[in-house]
Amino acid sequence: MSWIREGELNLLERISANILMAGPMPKHVAFIMDGNRRFAHKKNMERQDGHMQGFNKLAETLLWCKHLSIPEVTVYAFSIENFKRSKEEVDGLMELARQKFEKLLEEQENLEKHGVCIRVLGDLNMLPLDLQQVIAKAVIMTKNHNKCFLNVCFAYTSRYEITNAVREMALGVEQGLIKASDVSEALLSECLYSNNSPNPDLLIRTSGEVRLSDFLLWQVWKKNNQYDMGLWRFRNMPEVR
Ligand code: FPP
């Protein structure tokens, strides 16, 4: 299955979309794509098939976002913590990513037509070399597209991203490129993998759990403490870690 699906919404989806679009719409939605293993277990499927279904749901979600004119989506596809899972599961997820990024490369025309820019956020050095190469090709191929943006967090955690940003600033000070007094929230934001994106307006966790799991910790903050739309839940729920 392809990432960028063509097609129309069904009647119920169209009605829902019209109702949603009558109100304020998010410009950037982030997704934690979990629950795949629980889904597979419930349906008596192989774990890898659960992850594949998770990807199919992502493609469906991107189609909804396209119809809802949401220009930017960020997805948590593979956390650095996920490397601790069994070799079989990690290899399976790397293979799924390899296949899906290779498929992306075949879809150049479609990506160009819709102006989709793909970015991959994370430490790609942690990935097998062939996967790094196919990801790099997809990112380079779409880097000048500017109608919509899909950020795939892969080999990512927020604490790693922030640590990396702090290290970059420290290096800048050490090399005399900046002064210690230049270090600021704004500069740190510039050093994050997400530096090209506005902060998300809405964060959705597909399994329904209410935890951030080291995802976009810096970026879910909103000016004036206004947690728009879905994010209010994270502020109000006591079990948030
Ligand atoms: C975390 O929870 C989810 C993952 C480790 C993988 C999510 C990845 C995909 C849906 C495929 C994405 C691929 C690309 C190329 C973007 P879990 O789903 O393992 O299960 P749990 O929450 O039920 O334990």
Side-chain angles (χ1 to χ4, degrees):
M1 170 169 307
S2 127
W3 297 62
I4 313 296
R5 284 208 212 160
E6 293 294 342
E8 290 306 317
L9 302 180
N10 65 35
L11 181 65
L12 187 63
E13 288 169 336
R14 279 207 308 275
I15 294 171
S16 312
N18 284 338
I19 294 171
L20 283 174
M21 287 168 84
M25 288 297 292
K27 293 203 166 36
H28 180 181
V29 182
F31 292 92
I32 300 179
M33 303 194 301
D34 67 337
N36 304 325
R37 293 189 301 184
R38 275 168 280 175
F39 177 79
H41 185 70
K42 210 163 113 191
K43 299 275 171 188
N44 241 341
M45 291 159 62
E46 293 290 326
R47 197 174 41 209
Q48 180 69 1
D49 291 334
H51 289 311
M52 241 175 307
Q53 293 286 337
F55 178 84
N56 293 346
K57 191 49 85 178
L58 166 66
E60 201 179 329
T61 308
L62 294 177
L63 177 69
W64 295 332
C65 290
K66 190 176 92 186
H67 283 281
L68 290 166
S69 303
I70 295 170
E72 184 144 4
V73 170
T74 298
V75 296
Y76 203 4
F78 191 86
S79 145
I80 293 172
E81 289 297 306
N82 293 149
F83 280 114
K84 295 182 187 153
R85 293 189 178 186
S86 70
K87 180 171 174 348
E88 188 201 354
E89 186 175 0
V90 173
D91 288 351
L93 282 163
M94 294 299 145
E95 183 50 34
L96 180 62
R98 198 175 288 115
Q99 281 172 17
K100 296 303 174 186
F101 277 101
E102 271 165 6
K103 179 97 188 107
L104 252 187
L105 295 179
E106 294 166 15
E107 296 183 271
Q108 182 162 11
E109 216 173 288
N110 207 11
L111 291 164
E112 205 171 312
K113 181 172 127 199
H114 294 291
V116 184
C117 171
I118 311 278
R119 303 181 187 124
V120 180
L121 318 188
D123 189 343
L124 301 189
N125 292 318
M126 294 183 187
L127 303 176
L129 193 59
D130 58 341
L131 180 55
Q132 290 183 34
Q133 284 165 341
V134 69
I135 286 177
K137 281 187 194 161
V139 170
I140 292 168
M141 184 176 93
T142 63
K143 74 177 172 34
N144 293 324
H145 299 169
N146 58 9
K147 283 199 202 124
C148 44
F149 299 89
L150 172 61
N151 308 310
V152 182
C153 295
F154 211 95
Y156 173 93
T157 62
S158 195
R159 290 162 67 92
Y160 188 94
E161 178 187 33
I162 295 168
T163 308
N164 189 57
V166 171
R167 194 179 303 116
E168 279 207 12
M169 291 189 296
L171 203 66
V173 173
E174 196 178 289
Q175 294 178 346
L177 300 170
I178 56 170
K179 299 194 286 294
S181 58
D182 292 331
V183 172
S184 64
E185 288 184 11
L187 184 61
L188 195 145
S189 296
E190 283 296 307
C191 296
L192 295 176
Y193 298 135
S194 63
N195 61 2
N196 288 310
S197 300
N199 287 345
D201 308 299
L202 175 64
L203 172 58
I204 296 172
R205 184 158 183 153
T206 53
S207 73
E209 302 237 13
V210 188
R211 296 182 272 126
L212 289 173
S213 296
D214 215 345
F215 182 52
L216 304 181
L217 300 180
W218 183 272
Q219 295 87 339
V220 293
W221 177 82
K222 284 270 181 201
K223 234 183 193 163
N224 307 324
N225 205 21
Q226 282 170 356
Y227 286 78
D228 290 350
M229 304 175 210
L231 281 178
W232 68 270
R233 292 189 68 188
F234 290 103
R235 193 182 45 175
N236 290 339
M237 299 294 257
E239 68 270 36
V240 171
R241 282 188 256 155

